[in-house]
Amino acid sequence: MTKIRIAIQKSGRLNQDSLQMLKDCGVSIDNGKDQLKASSRNFPMEVFYLRNGDIPQYLKDGVVDIAIIGENVLIEKGGDITIAEKLGFSKCKVSLAVPKSTAYNSVKDFEGKRIATSYPNTVQKYLSEKGVTADLHIINGSVEIAPNIGLADAICDIVSSGSTLFKNNLEEVEVMLKSEAVLAVSPKITQERKDLLQKLQFRIQSVLRARQSKYVLLNAPNTNLDEILTLLPGMRSPTVLPLAEEGWSSVHTVINKDKFWEVIDELKQAGAEGILVCPIEKMVL
């Protein structure tokens, strides 16, 4: 039986979020402690637990068919690897930072400077596009200490909350790219495994839509119903059902979570009552 081979990060937050995504897609993984490979009991899939930086090469070589990986790593090492889906978690930035004591005006200030980074290709491309030449020091691991020990004038690294930069007295000055977890596809994937990828991607899209939405139920006076319905989006249109109390209706719909509170405030002003909000597990279109 053909199985699709997926790589995920061996440890860390991306590992946990990737396993949760597979779980939400109904894929159960039989995974013992410290296993480097595991199988799903209910989907034709093998899971490879790999170092994040090694995953692009495994994709290029066709050792794995797909991977959940940070977009930043793919940009640095992935070359022509295709992104099938952006997954919306593990968001971060790849940024240039300098000591807080450094006077900074523009990217031109990096001309001739020493920059410590684990992302030399990304930095080189960015600076070249800006017409800037710098001396790159490639460091695998924590680069934040480099300016403090005199190894570099600046750094390029992943920035999530910014707390690590703050602790090392550094300031973010240039955001080179924004990144999130993505589903990447090997250029050597077979057609048979592409069919399995389509099935998995359908499930992933259903999960992602659900994560972005809330199911809303409310009671509306019929006299205000038309106004309330104009405020409500829906997958096709809101569902309206009569209540036992004459003159009132129950309205059901789906609201994007980013617009949720704005819509709720407008509904209350329009006379909606008894507003209930429920999470959505899956949303299949």
PDB file of all heavy atoms in Angstrom, residues 228-265:
ATOM      1  N   ILE A 228     -30.615  43.376  10.832  1.00  0.00           N
ATOM      2  CA  ILE A 228     -29.660  42.424  11.414  1.00  0.00           C
ATOM      3  C   ILE A 228     -29.047  41.529  10.344  1.00  0.00           C
ATOM      4  O   ILE A 228     -27.839  41.261  10.338  1.00  0.00           O
ATOM      5  CB  ILE A 228     -30.351  41.598  12.519  1.00  0.00           C
ATOM      6  CG1 ILE A 228     -30.584  42.483  13.747  1.00  0.00           C
ATOM      7  CG2 ILE A 228     -29.532  40.367  12.885  1.00  0.00           C
ATOM      8  CD1 ILE A 228     -31.423  41.845  14.824  1.00  0.00           C
ATOM      9  N   LEU A 229     -29.860  41.096   9.388  1.00  0.00           N
ATOM     10  CA  LEU A 229     -29.353  40.210   8.330  1.00  0.00           C
ATOM     11  C   LEU A 229     -28.334  40.914   7.444  1.00  0.00           C
ATOM     12  O   LEU A 229     -27.410  40.278   6.925  1.00  0.00           O
ATOM     13  CB  LEU A 229     -30.509  39.671   7.493  1.00  0.00           C
ATOM     14  CG  LEU A 229     -31.458  38.700   8.198  1.00  0.00           C
ATOM     15  CD1 LEU A 229     -32.559  38.238   7.251  1.00  0.00           C
ATOM     16  CD2 LEU A 229     -30.691  37.488   8.741  1.00  0.00           C
ATOM     17  N   THR A 230     -28.485  42.214   7.264  1.00  0.00           N
ATOM     18  CA  THR A 230     -27.510  42.945   6.442  1.00  0.00           C
ATOM     19  C   THR A 230     -26.145  43.016   7.121  1.00  0.00           C
ATOM     20  O   THR A 230     -25.127  43.221   6.459  1.00  0.00           O
ATOM     21  CB  THR A 230     -27.995  44.375   6.152  1.00  0.00           C
ATOM     22  OG1 THR A 230     -28.150  45.097   7.384  1.00  0.00           O
ATOM     23  CG2 THR A 230     -29.307  44.363   5.398  1.00  0.00           C
ATOM     24  N   LEU A 231     -26.123  42.842   8.450  1.00  0.00           N
ATOM     25  CA  LEU A 231     -24.856  42.885   9.188  1.00  0.00           C
ATOM     26  C   LEU A 231     -24.133  41.552   9.180  1.00  0.00           C
ATOM     27  O   LEU A 231     -22.944  41.492   9.513  1.00  0.00           O
ATOM     28  CB  LEU A 231     -25.120  43.292  10.649  1.00  0.00           C
ATOM     29  CG  LEU A 231     -25.764  44.666  10.879  1.00  0.00           C
ATOM     30  CD1 LEU A 231     -26.108  44.825  12.358  1.00  0.00           C
ATOM     31  CD2 LEU A 231     -24.821  45.769  10.419  1.00  0.00           C
ATOM     32  N   LEU A 232     -24.850  40.496   8.809  1.00  0.00           N
ATOM     33  CA  LEU A 232     -24.308  39.151   8.971  1.00  0.00           C
ATOM     34  C   LEU A 232     -23.786  38.562   7.670  1.00  0.00           C
ATOM     35  O   LEU A 232     -24.524  38.454   6.695  1.00  0.00           O
ATOM     36  CB  LEU A 232     -25.378  38.215   9.536  1.00  0.00           C
ATOM     37  CG  LEU A 232     -25.781  38.464  10.979  1.00  0.00           C
ATOM     38  CD1 LEU A 232     -26.965  37.584  11.338  1.00  0.00           C
ATOM     39  CD2 LEU A 232     -24.610  38.200  11.916  1.00  0.00           C
ATOM     40  N   PRO A 233     -22.524  38.144   7.689  1.00  0.00           N
ATOM     41  CA  PRO A 233     -22.030  37.346   6.581  1.00  0.00           C
ATOM     42  C   PRO A 233     -22.487  35.905   6.792  1.00  0.00           C
ATOM     43  O   PRO A 233     -23.093  35.570   7.796  1.00  0.00           O
ATOM     44  CB  PRO A 233     -20.502  37.451   6.727  1.00  0.00           C
ATOM     45  CG  PRO A 233     -20.305  37.601   8.207  1.00  0.00           C
ATOM     46  CD  PRO A 233     -21.514  38.388   8.705  1.00  0.00           C
ATOM     47  N   GLY A 234     -22.175  35.042   5.889  1.00  0.00           N
ATOM     48  CA  GLY A 234     -22.506  33.628   6.048  1.00  0.00           C
ATOM     49  C   GLY A 234     -21.836  32.824   4.959  1.00  0.00           C
ATOM     50  O   GLY A 234     -21.353  33.372   3.978  1.00  0.00           O
ATOM     51  N   MET A 235     -21.812  31.488   5.110  1.00  0.00           N
ATOM     52  CA  MET A 235     -21.214  30.650   4.092  1.00  0.00           C
ATOM     53  C   MET A 235     -22.002  30.796   2.785  1.00  0.00           C
ATOM     54  O   MET A 235     -21.453  30.800   1.707  1.00  0.00           O
ATOM     55  CB  MET A 235     -21.181  29.199   4.555  1.00  0.00           C
ATOM     56  CG  MET A 235     -20.269  28.979   5.757  1.00  0.00           C
ATOM     57  SD  MET A 235     -20.332  27.296   6.388  1.00  0.00           S
ATOM     58  CE  MET A 235     -19.644  26.388   5.010  1.00  0.00           C
ATOM     59  N   ARG A 236     -23.319  30.901   2.861  1.00  0.00           N
ATOM     60  CA  ARG A 236     -24.147  31.250   1.710  1.00  0.00           C
ATOM     61  C   ARG A 236     -25.067  32.407   2.109  1.00  0.00           C
ATOM     62  O   ARG A 236     -25.038  33.465   1.535  1.00  0.00           O
ATOM     63  CB  ARG A 236     -24.951  30.036   1.235  1.00  0.00           C
ATOM     64  CG  ARG A 236     -25.719  30.292  -0.058  1.00  0.00           C
ATOM     65  CD  ARG A 236     -26.417  29.036  -0.544  1.00  0.00           C
ATOM     66  NE  ARG A 236     -25.497  27.972  -0.874  1.00  0.00           N
ATOM     67  CZ  ARG A 236     -24.939  27.833  -2.085  1.00  0.00           C
ATOM     68  NH1 ARG A 236     -25.193  28.703  -3.038  1.00  0.00           N
ATOM     69  NH2 ARG A 236     -24.129  26.816  -2.330  1.00  0.00           N
ATOM     70  N   SER A 237     -25.849  32.185   3.134  1.00  0.00           N
ATOM     71  CA  SER A 237     -26.656  33.241   3.740  1.00  0.00           C
ATOM     72  C   SER A 237     -27.038  32.762   5.135  1.00  0.00           C
ATOM     73  O   SER A 237     -27.032  31.559   5.404  1.00  0.00           O
ATOM     74  CB  SER A 237     -27.901  33.537   2.902  1.00  0.00           C
ATOM     75  OG  SER A 237     -28.767  32.419   2.903  1.00  0.00           O
ATOM     76  N   PRO A 238     -27.364  33.680   6.055  1.00  0.00           N
ATOM     77  CA  PRO A 238     -27.745  33.259   7.409  1.00  0.00           C
ATOM     78  C   PRO A 238     -29.000  32.379   7.393  1.00  0.00           C
ATOM     79  O   PRO A 238     -29.855  32.493   6.513  1.00  0.00           O
ATOM     80  CB  PRO A 238     -28.012  34.589   8.126  1.00  0.00           C
ATOM     81  CG  PRO A 238     -27.248  35.606   7.344  1.00  0.00           C
ATOM     82  CD  PRO A 238     -27.299  35.135   5.926  1.00  0.00           C
ATOM     83  N   THR A 239     -29.097  31.497   8.393  1.00  0.00           N
ATOM     84  CA  THR A 239     -30.286  30.666   8.569  1.00  0.00           C
ATOM     85  C   THR A 239     -31.233  31.377   9.535  1.00  0.00           C
ATOM     86  O   THR A 239     -30.807  31.819  10.609  1.00  0.00           O
ATOM     87  CB  THR A 239     -29.902  29.289   9.142  1.00  0.00           C
ATOM     88  OG1 THR A 239     -29.017  28.644   8.233  1.00  0.00           O
ATOM     89  CG2 THR A 239     -31.128  28.425   9.346  1.00  0.00           C
ATOM     90  N   VAL A 240     -32.499  31.478   9.159  1.00  0.00           N
ATOM     91  CA  VAL A 240     -33.501  32.153   9.988  1.00  0.00           C
ATOM     92  C   VAL A 240     -34.624  31.169  10.305  1.00  0.00           C
ATOM     93  O   VAL A 240     -35.229  30.582   9.398  1.00  0.00           O
ATOM     94  CB  VAL A 240     -34.077  33.387   9.274  1.00  0.00           C
ATOM     95  CG1 VAL A 240     -35.112  34.077  10.164  1.00  0.00           C
ATOM     96  CG2 VAL A 240     -32.958  34.361   8.894  1.00  0.00           C
ATOM     97  N   LEU A 241     -34.895  30.990  11.606  1.00  0.00           N
ATOM     98  CA  LEU A 241     -35.940  30.073  12.058  1.00  0.00           C
ATOM     99  C   LEU A 241     -36.879  30.815  13.016  1.00  0.00           C
ATOM    100  O   LEU A 241     -36.408  31.598  13.855  1.00  0.00           O
ATOM    101  CB  LEU A 241     -35.318  28.863  12.779  1.00  0.00           C
ATOM    102  CG  LEU A 241     -34.343  28.000  11.969  1.00  0.00           C
ATOM    103  CD1 LEU A 241     -33.656  26.996  12.885  1.00  0.00           C
ATOM    104  CD2 LEU A 241     -35.075  27.289  10.848  1.00  0.00           C
ATOM    105  N   PRO A 242     -38.173  30.571  12.951  1.00  0.00           N
ATOM    106  CA  PRO A 242     -39.110  31.245  13.862  1.00  0.00           C
ATOM    107  C   PRO A 242     -38.979  30.696  15.285  1.00  0.00           C
ATOM    108  O   PRO A 242     -38.779  29.489  15.476  1.00  0.00           O
ATOM    109  CB  PRO A 242     -40.476  30.928  13.265  1.00  0.00           C
ATOM    110  CG  PRO A 242     -40.272  29.658  12.504  1.00  0.00           C
ATOM    111  CD  PRO A 242     -38.870  29.713  11.970  1.00  0.00           C
ATOM    112  N   LEU A 243     -39.082  31.565  16.267  1.00  0.00           N
ATOM    113  CA  LEU A 243     -39.092  31.149  17.670  1.00  0.00           C
ATOM    114  C   LEU A 243     -40.523  30.869  18.114  1.00  0.00           C
ATOM    115  O   LEU A 243     -41.495  31.293  17.472  1.00  0.00           O
ATOM    116  CB  LEU A 243     -38.476  32.240  18.546  1.00  0.00           C
ATOM    117  CG  LEU A 243     -36.961  32.474  18.436  1.00  0.00           C
ATOM    118  CD1 LEU A 243     -36.555  33.593  19.378  1.00  0.00           C
ATOM    119  CD2 LEU A 243     -36.179  31.210  18.738  1.00  0.00           C
ATOM    120  N   ALA A 244     -40.666  30.161  19.242  1.00  0.00           N
ATOM    121  CA  ALA A 244     -41.996  29.889  19.782  1.00  0.00           C
ATOM    122  C   ALA A 244     -42.694  31.185  20.165  1.00  0.00           C
ATOM    123  O   ALA A 244     -43.928  31.301  20.069  1.00  0.00           O
ATOM    124  CB  ALA A 244     -41.885  28.954  20.985  1.00  0.00           C
ATOM    125  N   GLU A 245     -41.908  32.171  20.607  1.00  0.00           N
ATOM    126  CA  GLU A 245     -42.486  33.475  20.957  1.00  0.00           C
ATOM    127  C   GLU A 245     -42.766  34.260  19.678  1.00  0.00           C
ATOM    128  O   GLU A 245     -41.860  34.504  18.876  1.00  0.00           O
ATOM    129  CB  GLU A 245     -41.521  34.257  21.854  1.00  0.00           C
ATOM    130  CG  GLU A 245     -42.086  35.601  22.298  1.00  0.00           C
ATOM    131  CD  GLU A 245     -41.138  36.351  23.219  1.00  0.00           C
ATOM    132  OE1 GLU A 245     -40.180  35.726  23.716  1.00  0.00           O
ATOM    133  OE2 GLU A 245     -41.366  37.550  23.429  1.00  0.00           O
ATOM    134  N   GLU A 246     -43.989  34.644  19.474  1.00  0.00           N
ATOM    135  CA  GLU A 246     -44.380  35.335  18.255  1.00  0.00           C
ATOM    136  C   GLU A 246     -43.629  36.661  18.116  1.00  0.00           C
ATOM    137  O   GLU A 246     -43.404  37.383  19.094  1.00  0.00           O
ATOM    138  CB  GLU A 246     -45.886  35.598  18.267  1.00  0.00           C
ATOM    139  CG  GLU A 246     -46.415  36.121  16.946  1.00  0.00           C
ATOM    140  CD  GLU A 246     -47.928  36.239  16.926  1.00  0.00           C
ATOM    141  OE1 GLU A 246     -48.580  35.664  17.838  1.00  0.00           O
ATOM    142  OE2 GLU A 246     -48.451  36.900  16.019  1.00  0.00           O
ATOM    143  N   GLY A 247     -43.207  36.955  16.890  1.00  0.00           N
ATOM    144  CA  GLY A 247     -42.518  38.217  16.632  1.00  0.00           C
ATOM    145  C   GLY A 247     -41.007  38.131  16.745  1.00  0.00           C
ATOM    146  O   GLY A 247     -40.323  39.134  16.563  1.00  0.00           O
ATOM    147  N   TRP A 248     -40.493  36.925  17.017  1.00  0.00           N
ATOM    148  CA  TRP A 248     -39.041  36.748  17.168  1.00  0.00           C
ATOM    149  C   TRP A 248     -38.551  35.602  16.285  1.00  0.00           C
ATOM    150  O   TRP A 248     -39.283  34.644  16.025  1.00  0.00           O
ATOM    151  CB  TRP A 248     -38.681  36.453  18.619  1.00  0.00           C
ATOM    152  CG  TRP A 248     -38.744  37.665  19.492  1.00  0.00           C
ATOM    153  CD1 TRP A 248     -39.858  38.218  20.033  1.00  0.00           C
ATOM    154  CD2 TRP A 248     -37.645  38.466  19.892  1.00  0.00           C
ATOM    155  NE1 TRP A 248     -39.542  39.338  20.769  1.00  0.00           N
ATOM    156  CE2 TRP A 248     -38.181  39.511  20.716  1.00  0.00           C
ATOM    157  CE3 TRP A 248     -36.275  38.433  19.676  1.00  0.00           C
ATOM    158  CZ2 TRP A 248     -37.383  40.498  21.287  1.00  0.00           C
ATOM    159  CZ3 TRP A 248     -35.469  39.416  20.254  1.00  0.00           C
ATOM    160  CH2 TRP A 248     -36.027  40.434  21.043  1.00  0.00           C
ATOM    161  N   SER A 249     -37.292  35.701  15.858  1.00  0.00           N
ATOM    162  CA  SER A 249     -36.663  34.654  15.053  1.00  0.00           C
ATOM    163  C   SER A 249     -35.284  34.327  15.612  1.00  0.00           C
ATOM    164  O   SER A 249     -34.638  35.163  16.265  1.00  0.00           O
ATOM    165  CB  SER A 249     -36.513  35.101  13.588  1.00  0.00           C
ATOM    166  OG  SER A 249     -37.774  35.273  12.989  1.00  0.00           O
ATOM    167  N   SER A 250     -34.844  33.094  15.353  1.00  0.00           N
ATOM    168  CA  SER A 250     -33.486  32.668  15.681  1.00  0.00           C
ATOM    169  C   SER A 250     -32.644  32.729  14.412  1.00  0.00           C
ATOM    170  O   SER A 250     -33.049  32.225  13.362  1.00  0.00           O
ATOM    171  CB  SER A 250     -33.497  31.234  16.231  1.00  0.00           C
ATOM    172  OG  SER A 250     -32.173  30.765  16.428  1.00  0.00           O
ATOM    173  N   VAL A 251     -31.493  33.372  14.506  1.00  0.00           N
ATOM    174  CA  VAL A 251     -30.608  33.534  13.347  1.00  0.00           C
ATOM    175  C   VAL A 251     -29.289  32.804  13.612  1.00  0.00           C
ATOM    176  O   VAL A 251     -28.685  32.966  14.677  1.00  0.00           O
ATOM    177  CB  VAL A 251     -30.339  35.027  13.063  1.00  0.00           C
ATOM    178  CG1 VAL A 251     -29.418  35.185  11.850  1.00  0.00           C
ATOM    179  CG2 VAL A 251     -31.647  35.774  12.838  1.00  0.00           C
ATOM    180  N   HIS A 252     -28.853  31.989  12.654  1.00  0.00           N
ATOM    181  CA  HIS A 252     -27.610  31.229  12.761  1.00  0.00           C
ATOM    182  C   HIS A 252     -26.696  31.634  11.607  1.00  0.00           C
ATOM    183  O   HIS A 252     -27.138  31.697  10.451  1.00  0.00           O
ATOM    184  CB  HIS A 252     -27.880  29.718  12.649  1.00  0.00           C
ATOM    185  CG  HIS A 252     -28.806  29.186  13.682  1.00  0.00           C
ATOM    186  ND1 HIS A 252     -28.669  27.932  14.217  1.00  0.00           N
ATOM    187  CD2 HIS A 252     -29.895  29.723  14.303  1.00  0.00           C
ATOM    188  CE1 HIS A 252     -29.631  27.719  15.110  1.00  0.00           C
ATOM    189  NE2 HIS A 252     -30.394  28.797  15.164  1.00  0.00           N
ATOM    190  N   THR A 253     -25.413  31.852  11.901  1.00  0.00           N
ATOM    191  CA  THR A 253     -24.476  32.199  10.830  1.00  0.00           C
ATOM    192  C   THR A 253     -23.047  31.948  11.271  1.00  0.00           C
ATOM    193  O   THR A 253     -22.786  31.545  12.413  1.00  0.00           O
ATOM    194  CB  THR A 253     -24.650  33.671  10.409  1.00  0.00           C
ATOM    195  OG1 THR A 253     -23.955  33.900   9.186  1.00  0.00           O
ATOM    196  CG2 THR A 253     -24.113  34.621  11.473  1.00  0.00           C
ATOM    197  N   VAL A 254     -22.113  32.202  10.367  1.00  0.00           N
ATOM    198  CA  VAL A 254     -20.683  32.052  10.634  1.00  0.00           C
ATOM    199  C   VAL A 254     -20.022  33.406  10.461  1.00  0.00           C
ATOM    200  O   VAL A 254     -20.275  34.114   9.483  1.00  0.00           O
ATOM    201  CB  VAL A 254     -20.042  31.024   9.668  1.00  0.00           C
ATOM    202  CG1 VAL A 254     -18.530  30.991   9.849  1.00  0.00           C
ATOM    203  CG2 VAL A 254     -20.636  29.643   9.899  1.00  0.00           C
ATOM    204  N   ILE A 255     -19.166  33.773  11.424  1.00  0.00           N
ATOM    205  CA  ILE A 255     -18.480  35.063  11.385  1.00  0.00           C
ATOM    206  C   ILE A 255     -16.973  34.834  11.428  1.00  0.00           C
ATOM    207  O   ILE A 255     -16.477  34.014  12.205  1.00  0.00           O
ATOM    208  CB  ILE A 255     -18.900  35.957  12.576  1.00  0.00           C
ATOM    209  CG1 ILE A 255     -20.381  36.313  12.484  1.00  0.00           C
ATOM    210  CG2 ILE A 255     -18.060  37.233  12.626  1.00  0.00           C
ATOM    211  CD1 ILE A 255     -20.869  37.169  13.644  1.00  0.00           C
ATOM    212  N   ASN A 256     -16.237  35.573  10.618  1.00  0.00           N
ATOM    213  CA  ASN A 256     -14.779  35.542  10.662  1.00  0.00           C
ATOM    214  C   ASN A 256     -14.304  36.062  12.014  1.00  0.00           C
ATOM    215  O   ASN A 256     -14.763  37.115  12.479  1.00  0.00           O
ATOM    216  CB  ASN A 256     -14.198  36.398   9.534  1.00  0.00           C
ATOM    217  CG  ASN A 256     -12.684  36.284   9.440  1.00  0.00           C
ATOM    218  OD1 ASN A 256     -11.967  36.751  10.311  1.00  0.00           O
ATOM    219  ND2 ASN A 256     -12.204  35.672   8.385  1.00  0.00           N
ATOM    220  N   LYS A 257     -13.402  35.333  12.648  1.00  0.00           N
ATOM    221  CA  LYS A 257     -12.998  35.686  14.013  1.00  0.00           C
ATOM    222  C   LYS A 257     -12.305  37.045  14.088  1.00  0.00           C
ATOM    223  O   LYS A 257     -12.342  37.715  15.124  1.00  0.00           O
ATOM    224  CB  LYS A 257     -12.083  34.609  14.594  1.00  0.00           C
ATOM    225  CG  LYS A 257     -10.697  34.542  13.996  1.00  0.00           C
ATOM    226  CD  LYS A 257      -9.824  33.561  14.763  1.00  0.00           C
ATOM    227  CE  LYS A 257      -8.384  33.607  14.286  1.00  0.00           C
ATOM    228  NZ  LYS A 257      -7.506  32.706  15.052  1.00  0.00           N
ATOM    229  N   ASP A 258     -11.678  37.490  12.986  1.00  0.00           N
ATOM    230  CA  ASP A 258     -10.991  38.781  12.994  1.00  0.00           C
ATOM    231  C   ASP A 258     -11.975  39.949  13.020  1.00  0.00           C
ATOM    232  O   ASP A 258     -11.632  41.059  13.413  1.00  0.00           O
ATOM    233  CB  ASP A 258     -10.086  38.905  11.767  1.00  0.00           C
ATOM    234  CG  ASP A 258      -8.935  37.901  11.802  1.00  0.00           C
ATOM    235  OD1 ASP A 258      -8.522  37.529  12.923  1.00  0.00           O
ATOM    236  OD2 ASP A 258      -8.465  37.497  10.733  1.00  0.00           O
ATOM    237  N   LYS A 259     -13.224  39.715  12.563  1.00  0.00           N
ATOM    238  CA  LYS A 259     -14.237  40.772  12.542  1.00  0.00           C
ATOM    239  C   LYS A 259     -15.296  40.550  13.624  1.00  0.00           C
ATOM    240  O   LYS A 259     -16.303  41.256  13.672  1.00  0.00           O
ATOM    241  CB  LYS A 259     -14.913  40.819  11.172  1.00  0.00           C
ATOM    242  CG  LYS A 259     -13.967  41.123  10.026  1.00  0.00           C
ATOM    243  CD  LYS A 259     -14.704  41.121   8.692  1.00  0.00           C
ATOM    244  CE  LYS A 259     -13.759  41.437   7.546  1.00  0.00           C
ATOM    245  NZ  LYS A 259     -14.457  41.402   6.239  1.00  0.00           N
ATOM    246  N   PHE A 260     -15.046  39.579  14.476  1.00  0.00           N
ATOM    247  CA  PHE A 260     -16.066  39.093  15.395  1.00  0.00           C
ATOM    248  C   PHE A 260     -16.638  40.184  16.295  1.00  0.00           C
ATOM    249  O   PHE A 260     -17.847  40.428  16.317  1.00  0.00           O
ATOM    250  CB  PHE A 260     -15.493  37.945  16.226  1.00  0.00           C
ATOM    251  CG  PHE A 260     -16.383  37.497  17.338  1.00  0.00           C
ATOM    252  CD1 PHE A 260     -17.515  36.764  17.074  1.00  0.00           C
ATOM    253  CD2 PHE A 260     -16.100  37.831  18.648  1.00  0.00           C
ATOM    254  CE1 PHE A 260     -18.351  36.358  18.095  1.00  0.00           C
ATOM    255  CE2 PHE A 260     -16.923  37.436  19.678  1.00  0.00           C
ATOM    256  CZ  PHE A 260     -18.059  36.692  19.397  1.00  0.00           C
ATOM    257  N   TRP A 261     -15.776  40.839  17.070  1.00  0.00           N
ATOM    258  CA  TRP A 261     -16.282  41.805  18.054  1.00  0.00           C
ATOM    259  C   TRP A 261     -16.933  43.007  17.391  1.00  0.00           C
ATOM    260  O   TRP A 261     -17.924  43.556  17.899  1.00  0.00           O
ATOM    261  CB  TRP A 261     -15.159  42.253  18.987  1.00  0.00           C
ATOM    262  CG  TRP A 261     -14.796  41.191  19.971  1.00  0.00           C
ATOM    263  CD1 TRP A 261     -13.637  40.483  20.040  1.00  0.00           C
ATOM    264  CD2 TRP A 261     -15.631  40.681  21.017  1.00  0.00           C
ATOM    265  NE1 TRP A 261     -13.697  39.562  21.059  1.00  0.00           N
ATOM    266  CE2 TRP A 261     -14.901  39.667  21.682  1.00  0.00           C
ATOM    267  CE3 TRP A 261     -16.919  40.982  21.460  1.00  0.00           C
ATOM    268  CZ2 TRP A 261     -15.428  38.956  22.759  1.00  0.00           C
ATOM    269  CZ3 TRP A 261     -17.440  40.275  22.540  1.00  0.00           C
ATOM    270  CH2 TRP A 261     -16.690  39.277  23.173  1.00  0.00           C
ATOM    271  N   GLU A 262     -16.428  43.430  16.267  1.00  0.00           N
ATOM    272  CA  GLU A 262     -17.031  44.540  15.524  1.00  0.00           C
ATOM    273  C   GLU A 262     -18.464  44.196  15.115  1.00  0.00           C
ATOM    274  O   GLU A 262     -19.387  45.008  15.279  1.00  0.00           O
ATOM    275  CB  GLU A 262     -16.181  44.831  14.293  1.00  0.00           C
ATOM    276  CG  GLU A 262     -16.734  45.915  13.388  1.00  0.00           C
ATOM    277  CD  GLU A 262     -15.913  46.087  12.123  1.00  0.00           C
ATOM    278  OE1 GLU A 262     -14.735  45.647  12.109  1.00  0.00           O
ATOM    279  OE2 GLU A 262     -16.453  46.627  11.145  1.00  0.00           O
ATOM    280  N   VAL A 263     -18.662  42.971  14.600  1.00  0.00           N
ATOM    281  CA  VAL A 263     -19.987  42.545  14.170  1.00  0.00           C
ATOM    282  C   VAL A 263     -20.925  42.393  15.367  1.00  0.00           C
ATOM    283  O   VAL A 263     -22.092  42.796  15.322  1.00  0.00           O
ATOM    284  CB  VAL A 263     -19.908  41.221  13.379  1.00  0.00           C
ATOM    285  CG1 VAL A 263     -21.301  40.685  13.067  1.00  0.00           C
ATOM    286  CG2 VAL A 263     -19.125  41.427  12.087  1.00  0.00           C
ATOM    287  N   ILE A 264     -20.413  41.817  16.465  1.00  0.00           N
ATOM    288  CA  ILE A 264     -21.233  41.618  17.663  1.00  0.00           C
ATOM    289  C   ILE A 264     -21.750  42.954  18.192  1.00  0.00           C
ATOM    290  O   ILE A 264     -22.927  43.088  18.564  1.00  0.00           O
ATOM    291  CB  ILE A 264     -20.441  40.867  18.752  1.00  0.00           C
ATOM    292  CG1 ILE A 264     -20.154  39.434  18.314  1.00  0.00           C
ATOM    293  CG2 ILE A 264     -21.195  40.877  20.073  1.00  0.00           C
ATOM    294  CD1 ILE A 264     -21.379  38.580  18.095  1.00  0.00           C
ATOM    295  N   ASP A 265     -20.887  43.963  18.234  1.00  0.00           N
ATOM    296  CA  ASP A 265     -21.314  45.294  18.721  1.00  0.00           C
ATOM    297  C   ASP A 265     -22.445  45.848  17.848  1.00  0.00           C
ATOM    298  O   ASP A 265     -23.417  46.415  18.353  1.00  0.00           O
ATOM    299  CB  ASP A 265     -20.122  46.259  18.708  1.00  0.00           C
ATOM    300  CG  ASP A 265     -19.121  45.958  19.819  1.00  0.00           C
ATOM    301  OD1 ASP A 265     -19.503  45.276  20.778  1.00  0.00           O
ATOM    302  OD2 ASP A 265     -17.960  46.401  19.700  1.00  0.00           O
TER     303      ASP A 265
END
